[in-house]
Amino acid sequence: MIASIVIGAAIFGYASWAVVKFINKSKKGKCAACDLRKSCTSGCGTPPEMK
């Protein structure tokens, strides 16, 4: 019983963390959240305040 509660809590915790991470990345925008933003040539411009 305790093992299933611990496993359930771990799964729920990971799912919550993944949702929060996704929401935070989506707030930044497509190119700002990308891991390749410094070397990407897809046409996303860097805002003037970040140069």
Side-chain angles (χ1 to χ4, degrees):
M1 172 95 174
I2 293 175
S4 62
I5 292 173
V6 170
I7 292 170
I11 292 170
F12 183 74
Y14 177 75
S16 300
W17 173 78
V19 168
V20 168
K21 186 176 175 183
F22 174 77
I23 291 171
N24 287 339
K25 281 183 122 180
S26 67
K27 283 182 183 178
K28 289 181 183 179
K30 179 181 155 192
C31 288
C34 181
D35 292 335
L36 300 174
R37 67 183 169 271
K38 292 183 180 178
S39 62
C40 182
T41 59
S42 68
C44 294
T46 305
E49 64 271 1
M50 296 191 74
K51 285 185 178 178

